[in-house]
Amino acid sequence: MNDLLVMKFGGTSMGSAERIRSAAVLCEEAWRQRPLVVVVSAMAKVTDMLLEALRHAEGGDEAGLNRLLAELDAKHRQCSNELLEGEARDRTQRVLDGILEDFTRIARGVLMLGERPPRSVDEAVAAGERLSAALMAAYLESRGVDAFAVNGWDVIVTDAVFGNASPLMEQTREKANALLRPALEKRRLPVVTGFNGATLDGRPTTLGRGGSDFSASILAAVLDAAELWIWSDVDGIMSADPRLVPDAKVLEEITYREAAELAYNGAKVLHPRTLAPLMEKGIPVWSRNSFNPSFPGTRIVPETKDGPIGPRAVTSMLNVALVSVDPASAVLSGTRIMARSLEALAAANAEVLALTSSSYRQNFCFLIRQSELPAVIEKLEETFSLELAHGYLHPIDVDLDVGLIAIVGEGMRGHPGLAGRIFTAISREMVNIIAIAQGSSELTIAIVVRREGVEKAVRAVHSECALGR
């Protein structure tokens, strides 16, 4: 089976009965030509609704919980009624009812406890993908496709980091070969829930927000797929956010490393961890638009033949925080302080977007996502409780009025004068640079500026490097 295709559909591509119909047509066309595995996200906004319902439950707001349960039921019931008829509709509605009953059971438990255990949250929020997989499989069946829904936790094996689990690839390969490959050999079409997996002992986990991309790449890797197509609501990966840069263009082809850097630094087309499972096998990825399926999209490959000299794209991120750690005395070992800080970040399960340090003063700062800030501050204050109490460290400083700009491209390597041009272009817009970080690979230049200057800086860099149409 050397022509296997894995296709993943995001939340907007599954957002209504009309969108599910369109996605199903794409699935059927592909399935009639080659073996196919489909991975689906929850319908747009559903994961947020599920999390909000759990928050109401944790806060003791039973009325708010009941309201959201009713909205979730109505949303999926309406979709089922629009997609299906007769016995197929009734059978599917029973499946949907069962999934919502599972979620309700967990939410009622949270209501009684007054807290949300991470393990219970992971099991609960997987309901969104389970609902959409049931709808997609049922509608495909109604079109004569031999499709069936698969819960991701029956296939993808992960560690026990609830909320942001990582896959155990060999164990996942064994499960995928046992469950999915026999079905594929019989020309059946598995519709797998994205976002969720389970530990070796069967405890449900999730792969982090946006993890359906990651689910699809994990399955593509363990099944030795020929290609992975990721369907979203944009034409592909662009040279910049078109809302900020009107002449931004779709990139025809980029490397794994470029796509991963863009995703990590704010581009919303892919989940940041999506490409890691595919790199060893060199499986190509297409980023395509389910609203415009005739457009070829962006191809992501191990290497490109004739990449541009200089950057490929510029991206940005606003909801970030700049955290500064400043020893009050030069007697303290800056290296040890930095090492312990990084251990605290790891304990908080936070990702460092950029890190810079001084020389003599031994102070340093790092950029993280604002959503990770409470856990990071808690871990830092716990780690340095003695130093902070005795004044060996200045109070940890947090600056929320900042944004990140990342300039990415394989062609920047060994290109003299490029950084100077970028900094000059930003300075012409009277935007002050607060911090700069660049690794030895020269693949990415990360720049921290004031939040109000992010848009001007992105446009300036995009224009200076001639990245537009």
Side-chain angles (χ1 to χ4, degrees), residues 234-250:
V234 294
D235 283 338
I237 299 174
M238 303 192 72
S239 59
D241 186 337
R243 293 170 298 182
L244 306 183
V245 183
D247 70 332
K249 67 180 180 183
V250 176

Side-chain angles (χ1 to χ4, degrees), residues 325-330 332 334 358-364 394:
V325 179
D326 188 6
S329 169
L332 287 178
S358 69
S359 52
Y360 170 71
R361 283 285 303 278
Q362 300 286 295
N363 60 351
F364 59 94
H394 290 297

Side-chain angles (χ1 to χ4, degrees), residues 51-372:
L51 288 169
E52 186 182 353
L54 293 177
R55 283 193 291 270
H56 281 286
E58 183 181 34
D61 181 7
E62 187 171 8
L65 170 61
N66 290 337
R67 173 180 57 80
L68 283 158
L69 290 173
E71 289 178 14
L72 286 162
D73 177 72
K75 183 180 182 72
H76 291 91
R77 188 177 298 274
Q78 178 183 350
C79 190
S80 175
N81 290 339
E82 291 181 28
L83 289 173
L84 303 163
E85 298 177 347
E87 174 56 28
R89 181 185 60 203
D90 296 340
R91 183 172 61 251
T92 301
Q93 189 57 54
R94 288 193 293 270
V95 173
L96 300 180
D97 290 343
I99 295 169
L100 286 170
E101 284 171 11
D102 289 344
F103 176 79
T104 301
R105 170 182 53 80
I106 297 170
R108 298 280 180 211
V110 170
L111 184 68
M112 287 190 294
L113 287 172
E115 63 176 326
R116 294 180 293 164
R119 174 180 169 180
S120 297
V121 172
D122 276 11
E123 182 178 357
V125 296
E129 279 71 20
R130 293 172 64 196
L131 291 162
S132 62
L135 287 166
M136 173 69 94
Y139 183 64
L140 283 166
E141 277 192 287
S142 75
R143 294 178 61 90
V145 178
D146 189 3
F148 65 105
V150 179
N151 196 324
W153 64 44
D154 291 327
V155 183
I156 296 177
V157 184
T158 74
D159 60 20
V161 180
F162 298 105
N164 195 30
S166 295
L168 304 179
M169 296 300 287
E170 286 309 310
Q171 293 89 335
T172 300
R173 180 183 294 276
E174 291 174 9
K175 286 208 168 189
N177 283 333
L179 179 62
L180 300 182
R181 196 171 292 281
L184 292 168
E185 289 170 352
K186 295 176 182 177
R187 293 287 297 136
R188 303 193 71 197
L189 197 171
V191 180
V192 186
T193 62
F195 181 49
N196 67 319
T199 61
L200 274 170
D201 57 359
R203 291 172 292 165
T205 58
T206 58
L207 300 170
R209 292 302 298 268
S212 293
D213 289 352
F214 197 19
S215 299
S217 72
I218 292 165
L219 292 176
V222 299
L223 291 168
D224 300 312
E227 292 179 297
L228 168 61
W229 294 3
I230 295 179
W231 295 94
S232 65
D233 57 358
V234 294
D235 283 338
I237 299 174
M238 303 192 72
S239 59
D241 186 337
R243 293 170 298 182
L244 306 183
V245 183
D247 70 332
K249 67 180 180 183
V250 176
L251 304 172
E252 293 182 10
E253 189 174 70
I254 62 173
T255 68
Y256 288 147
R257 291 181 295 273
E258 289 171 330
E261 286 289 328
L262 287 169
Y264 188 76
N265 288 289
K268 294 181 172 58
V269 176
L270 295 174
H271 184 278
R273 295 197 286 174
T274 297
L275 300 168
L278 307 173
M279 289 183 176
E280 182 181 346
K281 298 179 180 296
I283 299 171
V285 183
W286 289 90
S287 173
R288 303 186 63 182
N289 187 352
S290 66
F291 292 73
N292 184 20
S294 62
F295 193 86
T298 300
R299 188 169 186 254
I300 307 169
V301 292
E303 303 288 343
T304 55
K305 293 180 180 178
D306 300 307
I309 296 175
R312 182 88 69 170
V314 56
T315 188
S316 62
M317 196 183 300
L318 290 178
N319 294 320
V320 294
L322 188 66
V323 181
S324 299
V325 179
D326 188 6
S329 169
V331 174
L332 287 178
S333 167
T335 303
R336 282 202 183 92
I337 295 294
M338 185 179 292
R340 291 168 64 193
S341 297
L342 292 173
E343 286 179 1
L345 285 164
N349 201 27
E351 294 179 324
V352 179
L353 302 171
L355 186 149
T356 63
S357 65
S358 69
S359 52
Y360 170 71
R361 283 285 303 278
Q362 300 286 295
N363 60 351
F364 59 94
C365 61
F366 50 84
L367 196 73
I368 58 172
R369 294 174 176 84
Q370 284 188 21
S371 60
E372 298 169 341

